[in-house]
Amino acid sequence: MNLRAALREVVGSALGHRRLYRVSGQSMLPTLRSGDLVWVDVSAAAQPELGALVVVRSPEPRGKPLVKRVSSLGDSTFAVGSDSPVEARDSRSFGSLKLSHFIGTVIAHWSPSVLRDT
């Protein structure tokens, strides 16, 4: 990452346009593992794009954040899928999502095992 990009991320984070989430579960294997961290663009300009990794608010009762991949786009809805469908809780089980369920787009991810000193 160059200095300009790093500065943009620091400013974006300070302004509340970036948020860090922890992956829970195995539904996004092999791309993401449980415990991985994802850096998410939550700015108003962020919109779901086909194939992108995103964080959405589950339509299920408690509205828990989920990390998924956008599988289709409609006019005012979109569907998300899991990279590992065996472990999936995604649009195949709860249907398409309204744009109000969209939290943001994943712009980077890290594995805690890579971050640990060995």
Side-chain angles (χ1 to χ4, degrees):
M1 177 181 294
N2 65 32
L3 182 57
R4 178 175 274 159
L7 184 57
R8 186 173 51 241
E9 290 305 315
V10 169
V11 170
S13 181
L15 294 174
H17 298 290
R18 305 286 192 264
R19 201 171 295 154
L20 195 63
Y21 287 88
R22 184 175 301 277
V23 176
S24 176
Q26 305 300 318
S27 70
M28 292 307 292
L29 284 172
T31 308
L32 301 170
R33 299 183 180 285
S34 191
D36 284 359
L37 301 172
V38 292
W39 192 232
V40 180
D41 177 358
V42 296
S43 68
Q47 292 294 313
E49 293 182 19
L50 193 60
L53 290 174
V54 296
V55 176
V56 298
R57 192 171 298 98
S58 171
E60 295 169 342
R62 286 179 290 199
K64 178 180 167 182
L66 304 171
V67 179
K68 299 295 174 190
R69 187 175 302 280
V70 177
S71 58
S72 70
L73 295 169
D75 289 334
S76 60
T77 63
F78 65 103
V80 294
S82 302
D83 286 359
S84 177
V86 175
E87 294 281 337
R89 222 175 77 239
D90 55 30
S91 288
R92 289 172 293 173
S93 57
F94 51 67
S96 291
L97 298 171
K98 297 177 183 174
L99 289 176
S100 62
H101 289 102
F102 179 74
I103 294 173
T105 302
V106 173
I107 56 175
H109 69 274
W110 301 271
S111 175
S113 61
V114 173
L115 298 175
R116 273 188 237 128
D117 289 329
T118 55

